[in-house]
């Protein structure tokens, strides 16, 4: 084994520094928002994954938006998104596995200036991408401690940050204190798009969204967190929402759907929705 290769947690996709043996525990998985397998934590290196058949899946999602996923499941199995702009490219939510095919695709698309993520479960191979292109890593100050593979390329931010003209990182909180979305002004044919990871979720019917503090552990997001997400994105114009996976996508009327879905979710939190019970 190359002793410079990072260890990858197969459950959350987090990367850890190289060493003779993997870490004794994954700090991300031991947090209540994630989970540790009943059979114990599992680890691998990038080379081991490649040798076992892992490979990236690169697709055009819409003009100037390229999806980068992994054909085999790893971690939370997110699909990253490369946003292309005249001033450079930004990679959002990179998956945990990276190969030469993905690097070549990004090189052909104009390279990479910044790599960033919605929250710690989707940091993935962010350091590898930074090393491959000399890209800066943009992390919310509130969550930077969750990057378990240190890099001198990290720059922290809070509140909002215009990474490139027309691309703004917005700290929403909720799932994590630094949970963020990326507003892409030119997305959706100029109507505006949000890249959200799982700061909130697009539901399978592509007609509403929902929220969670921990999706795998089925823990809801409290009302204050839901309202914080809605208020954080209120200043931005958007008609489309891309979650952290290939599907589903909220394809149109996204602002209205976010606001009405948030109110409906809060009604359930408050117990304001009648629950039918069978006669006894």
């Amino acid at each position: 084994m190359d002793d410079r290769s990072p260890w990858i947690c197969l459950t959350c996709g987090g990367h850890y520094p190289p060493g003779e043996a993997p870490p004794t525990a994954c700090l991300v998985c031991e947090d209540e928002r994630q989970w540790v397998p009943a059979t114990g934590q599992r680890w691998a290196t990038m080379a081991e994954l490649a040798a076992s058949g892992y490979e990236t899946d690169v697709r055009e999602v819409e003009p100037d938006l390229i999806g980068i996923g992994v054909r085999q499941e790893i971690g939370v199995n997110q699909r990253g998104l490369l946003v292309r702009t005249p001033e450079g490219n930004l990679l959002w939510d990179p998956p945990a596995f990276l190969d030469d095919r993905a690097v070549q695709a990004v090189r052909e698309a104009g390279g990479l200036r910044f790599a960033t993520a919605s929250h710690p479960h989707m940091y993935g191979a962010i350091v590898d991408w930074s090393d491959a292109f000399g890209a800066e890593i943009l992390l919310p100050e509130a969550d930077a401690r969750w990057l378990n593979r240190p890099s001198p390329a990290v720059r922290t931010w809070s509140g909002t940050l215009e990474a490139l003209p027309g691309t703004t990182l917005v700290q929403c909180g909720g799932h994590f204190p630094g949970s963020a979305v990326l507003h892409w002004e030119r997305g959706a044919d100029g109507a505006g798009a949000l890249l959200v990871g799982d700061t909130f979720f697009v539901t399978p019917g592509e007609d509403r969204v929902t929220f969670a503090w921990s999706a795998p552990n089925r823990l809801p997001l409290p009302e204050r967190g839901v309202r914080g997400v809605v208020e954080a994105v209120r200043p931005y114009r958007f008609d489309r929402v891309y979650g952290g996976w290939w599907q589903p996508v909220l394809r149109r009327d996204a602002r209205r759907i976010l606001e009405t879905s948030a109110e409906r979710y809060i009604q359930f939190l408050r117990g304001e929705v009648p629950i039918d019970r069978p006669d006894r």
Side-chain angles (χ1 to χ4, degrees):
M1 184 192 73
D2 182 351
D3 62 10
R4 295 171 297 174
S5 178
W7 288 102
I8 303 171
C9 170
L10 297 180
T11 305
C12 74
H15 284 215
Y16 285 76
E20 291 297 321
T24 57
C26 173
L27 301 179
V28 176
C29 288
E30 291 192 336
D31 178 74
E32 194 175 10
R33 285 160 288 203
Q34 187 51 22
W35 58 285
V36 177
T39 53
Q41 209 72 60
R42 298 179 303 132
W43 303 90
T45 65
M46 201 76 79
E48 289 170 345
L49 293 175
S52 66
Y54 277 72
E55 58 181 356
T56 54
D57 181 10
V58 181
R59 312 177 196 172
E60 182 180 75
V61 176
E62 66 170 82
D64 291 326
L65 189 67
I66 297 172
I68 303 172
V70 183
R71 296 187 187 278
Q72 297 84 349
E73 288 196 9
I74 179 171
V76 300
N77 207 40
Q78 75 268 28
R79 172 269 297 117
L81 290 168
L82 182 79
V83 180
R84 300 178 65 192
T85 82
E87 291 78 17
N89 298 340
L90 178 148
L91 180 61
W92 173 259
D93 281 350
F97 177 75
L98 173 63
D99 60 15
D100 291 340
R101 180 171 182 266
V103 171
Q104 182 60 32
V106 171
R107 185 171 290 119
E108 293 172 357
L112 187 64
R113 283 188 61 185
F114 299 109
T116 188
S118 57
H119 70 291
H121 295 158
M122 295 187 178
Y123 287 172
I126 199 167
V127 174
D128 297 272
W129 280 106
S130 171
D131 291 346
F133 288 93
E136 197 166 22
I137 299 173
L138 304 176
L139 297 183
E141 182 177 357
D143 291 343
R145 68 184 181 89
W146 291 102
L147 183 67
N148 291 300
R149 185 183 171 197
S151 169
V154 170
R155 172 159 65 100
T156 59
W157 62 279
S158 297
T160 63
L161 175 68
E162 186 179 47
L164 293 163
T167 64
T168 302
L169 293 164
V170 182
Q171 183 177 352
C172 298
H175 180 38
F176 276 80
S179 283
V181 302
L182 178 70
H183 178 249
W184 179 31
E185 190 176 277
R186 293 175 52 202
D189 299 318
L194 290 182
L195 283 53
V196 304
D198 63 6
T199 300
F200 57 94
F201 293 86
V202 181
T203 58
E206 299 190 341
D207 59 351
R208 65 180 66 197
V209 302
T210 192
F211 307 83
W213 189 77
S214 170
N217 295 320
R218 308 300 192 265
L219 297 174
L221 186 64
E223 178 177 344
R224 184 173 68 174
V226 175
R227 295 201 182 278
V229 171
V230 175
E231 287 304 312
V233 302
R234 196 178 298 281
Y236 302 93
R237 182 178 61 90
F238 59 94
D239 194 50
R240 185 171 297 163
V241 168
Y242 290 105
W245 299 268
W246 295 111
Q247 302 291 341
V249 174
L250 197 55
R251 301 179 188 279
R252 60 186 64 84
D253 205 16
R255 173 186 287 281
R256 180 192 64 80
I257 290 173
L258 170 62
E259 293 174 354
T260 58
S261 296
E263 290 303 320
R264 184 62 169 166
Y265 183 92
I266 289 168
Q267 288 176 346
F268 275 94
L269 287 179
R270 292 179 172 181
E272 296 173 350
V273 180
I275 303 297
D276 293 335
R277 295 191 302 174
D279 294 336
R280 294 184 179 181

